[in-house]
């Protein structure tokens, strides 16, 4: 039943932009064949719909690949501090366009975990992009990396992505990582969301032996925290907190 629901949802998500593309193509081939103004108006919309479909297909393939490798734990050491700073730097242009300041604070000069670098970059790209898309009204995103005690007294790395936007109503929190679940479908699609971003985050963290926690109060922003087991105390060097914006 879950598989059938997933296929039905994926088909629906693809059918919507495909229908829009087909409609515009038909119009441009027919009544607007020689209408330059219509062509200039329709082509950017068609491009956006094609991009949306490509993004959805990419997310579907990524989710399938992660699920196939779910039983294989990554065994290479990667530095979360370096990954997070690279992701934050790569999203500075989007942040500036939306008038948002991104602050990164790390309690160590490096924070090593056993992980797949590309997959972890995808995790933090999704979390920060979500904050930029849906909580830009808060004008600030705070990212904090730390080491603490997790379940069974094991040490774990935590990466907190805190926004100051409208927040999320409590009834939505348990379902945010479900595939295609959206708090606001219209807003998500307008922002180019596929409905799979947080599902990807959850599955990647599960593969790494980690987890995602979400805290939010309506009107006071939201905090998404990725928890990952550290590679080992000897490899992680704690230093005073440092900041970059």
């Amino acid at each position: 039943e879950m598989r059938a629901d997933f296929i039905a949802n994926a088909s629906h998500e693809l059918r919507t932009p495909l229908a829009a593309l087909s409609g515009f193509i038909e119009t441009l081939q027919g009544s607007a064949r020689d209408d330059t103004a219509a062509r200039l108006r329709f082509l950017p919309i068609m491009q956006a719909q094609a991009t949306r479909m490509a993004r959805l297909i990419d997310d579907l393939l990524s989710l399938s690949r992660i699920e196939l490798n779910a039983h294989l734990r990554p065994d290479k050491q990667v530095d979360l501090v370096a990954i997070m700073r690279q992701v934050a730097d790569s999203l500075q242009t989007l942040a500036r366009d939306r008038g948002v300041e991104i602050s990164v604070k790390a309690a160590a000069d490096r924070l090593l975990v056993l992980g797949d670098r590309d997959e972890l970059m995808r995790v933090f790209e999704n979390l920060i992009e979500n904050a930029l898309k849906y909580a830009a009204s808060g004008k600030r995103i705070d990212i904090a990396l730390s080491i603490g005690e997790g379940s069974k007294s094991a040490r774990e790395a935590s990466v907190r992505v805190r926004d100051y936007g409208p927040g999320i109503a409590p009834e939505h929190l348990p379902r945010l990582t479900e595939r295609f679940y959206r708090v606001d479908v219209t807003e998500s699609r307008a922002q180019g969301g596929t409905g799979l971003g947080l599902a990807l985050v959850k599955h990647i963290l599960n593969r790494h032996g980690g987890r995602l926690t979400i805290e939010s109060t309506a009107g006071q922003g939201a905090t998404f925290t990725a928890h990952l087991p550290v590679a080992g105390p000897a490899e992680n060097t704690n230093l005073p907190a440092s900041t970059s914006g």
Side-chain angles (χ1 to χ4, degrees):
E1 185 177 347
M2 289 176 64
R3 187 180 298 275
D5 286 345
F6 175 63
I7 292 172
N9 284 328
S11 299
H12 174 74
E13 292 293 333
L14 282 168
R15 192 178 295 118
T16 302
L18 185 58
L21 278 171
S22 297
F24 284 125
I25 290 170
E26 183 178 339
T27 302
L28 289 173
Q29 288 177 331
S31 60
R33 179 187 298 272
D34 300 315
D35 189 335
T36 301
R39 185 167 62 249
L40 292 175
R41 187 169 69 253
F42 292 162
L43 285 174
I45 301 173
M46 294 168 70
Q47 178 64 52
Q49 294 297 330
T51 300
R52 178 181 162 196
M53 280 201 299
R55 189 180 298 115
L56 177 58
I57 291 168
D58 182 50
D59 280 354
L60 287 168
L61 291 173
S62 295
L63 193 55
S64 176
R65 184 171 59 250
I66 292 162
E67 288 181 327
L68 284 174
N69 295 322
H71 61 291
L72 300 174
R73 289 283 293 274
D75 58 2
K76 293 183 179 179
Q77 287 190 0
V78 294
D79 180 7
L80 283 183
V81 176
I83 289 173
M84 180 52 74
R85 293 197 185 283
Q86 182 176 341
V87 171
D89 286 346
S90 71
L91 292 173
Q92 285 295 344
T93 299
L94 178 60
R96 281 195 297 270
D97 290 345
R98 293 173 181 257
V100 178
E101 179 185 354
I102 299 177
S103 170
V104 181
K105 294 183 180 180
D109 63 337
R110 60 178 184 169
L111 199 48
L112 299 181
V113 299
L114 297 178
D116 181 301
R117 181 179 178 83
D118 291 339
E119 289 186 3
L120 291 176
M121 287 192 69
R122 188 72 175 273
V123 164
F124 301 123
E125 284 170 352
N126 283 353
L127 292 179
I128 298 174
E129 282 180 354
N130 268 4
L132 288 171
K133 288 176 181 176
Y134 307 117
S137 59
K139 300 302 180 185
R140 191 167 108 237
I141 296 172
D142 292 335
I143 301 167
L145 298 90
S146 61
I147 297 179
E149 188 174 293
S151 59
K152 300 179 181 178
S153 299
R155 298 179 80 218
E156 69 176 14
S158 296
V159 183
R160 298 171 64 253
V161 179
R162 166 86 159 97
D163 68 64
Y164 297 85
I168 304 163
E171 63 267 22
H172 295 297
L173 295 179
R175 302 191 62 189
L176 286 179
T177 58
E178 291 180 17
R179 299 167 186 177
F180 299 115
Y181 185 82
R182 295 176 170 97
V183 174
D184 185 330
V185 175
T186 302
E187 175 66 12
S188 174
R189 287 177 177 164
Q191 295 283 358
T194 65
L196 292 173
L198 290 178
L200 278 166
V201 168
K202 181 184 75 172
H203 282 277
I204 291 172
L205 292 177
N206 286 347
R207 179 176 176 245
H208 284 71
R211 57 197 169 91
L212 176 70
T213 57
I214 306 170
E215 302 170 86
S216 181
T217 302
Q220 299 182 28
T223 301
F224 292 78
T225 305
H227 307 266
L228 291 158
V230 298
E235 291 86 353
N236 286 283
T237 305
N238 285 323
L239 290 178
S242 58
T243 305
S244 72

